[in-house]
Amino acid sequence: MAVLRRSAHDSLRIHQGSDFLVTQVEDGVPTGSPGPGEVLGRQTLPRIGAGPNGVDVTSAVPPGGPIHVRYELWDAEPGPLPSWDRMWEGRLHLRTGLIGVAQHFAEEWDEYLEFDTGERDSAWSARVLNRVLSNTEEPDFPADIVEVDLYRVQLWPPATA
């Protein structure tokens, strides 16, 4: 059974467009690929594109809305979360051992949390999960008047053959 070693939460309000990055960070700057402004040849679907050390996500909520990211570092592959949608699964190579969330189109970086994996120059198995919470308590009002976009970025050591 997999054990959660470390986790952290970060939030970001996207000011321009609907895309954000979870990407390698070096000296307080997103340096991974995908990087700011980098196009990975996708349109709106799938809502995620991956590079060697980062992912570019198109948020499900309208522009200007907050997104919330929870980083999870596991000792082995975590079990499934049935109420969450799996957006992507693959590998990330983090030379610096740090990842962070940033706006896709930004000239200046907002303050954000740097999540430290504790291991430099390492490859990780990775998964990005998504869940959109909306208004279900008041059926007389539209579901999207309250909408929260949640993401889990799960990292664990790759299986050895």
Side-chain angles (χ1 to χ4, degrees):
M1 176 171 213
V3 174
L4 180 64
R5 294 183 358 199
R6 182 171 41 246
S7 67
H9 169 264
D10 200 8
S11 297
L12 176 71
R13 187 170 298 276
I14 305 171
H15 301 294
Q16 209 175 8
S18 298
D19 288 9
F20 68 95
L21 304 169
V22 177
T23 192
Q24 178 177 271
V25 174
E26 185 171 7
D27 296 327
V29 176
T31 60
S33 176
E38 182 177 354
V39 177
L40 295 174
R42 66 176 171 83
Q43 300 299 319
T44 55
L45 293 174
R47 294 185 338 190
I48 192 164
N53 43 18
V55 292
D56 175 9
V57 181
T58 301
S59 175
V61 300
I67 56 101
H68 303 276
V69 177
R70 176 181 162 91
Y71 303 102
E72 298 177 346
L73 185 64
W74 293 83
D75 68 346
E77 181 176 356
L81 293 170
S83 61
W84 289 73
D85 295 326
R86 186 171 72 178
M87 296 181 71
W88 174 81
E89 190 166 324
R91 288 204 180 195
L92 295 176
H93 183 267
L94 301 176
R95 185 178 49 77
T96 65
L98 302 172
I99 59 174
V101 62
Q103 293 189 55
H104 182 79
F105 299 105
E107 294 179 15
E108 295 182 13
W109 310 114
D110 292 339
E111 290 293 318
Y112 56 87
L113 174 82
E114 292 180 2
F115 184 72
D116 189 352
T117 64
E119 295 184 34
R120 294 179 61 86
D121 201 26
S122 294
W124 296 95
S125 291
R127 179 184 301 142
V128 177
L129 304 168
N130 174 241
R131 185 165 185 203
V132 177
L133 302 178
S134 60
N135 174 39
T136 58
E137 300 297 315
E138 295 293 333
D140 295 339
F141 292 88
D144 65 351
I145 62 169
V146 176
E147 214 167 42
V148 179
D149 207 3
L150 305 176
Y151 295 88
R152 287 181 188 266
V153 177
Q154 298 176 323
L155 302 168
W156 66 93
T160 55

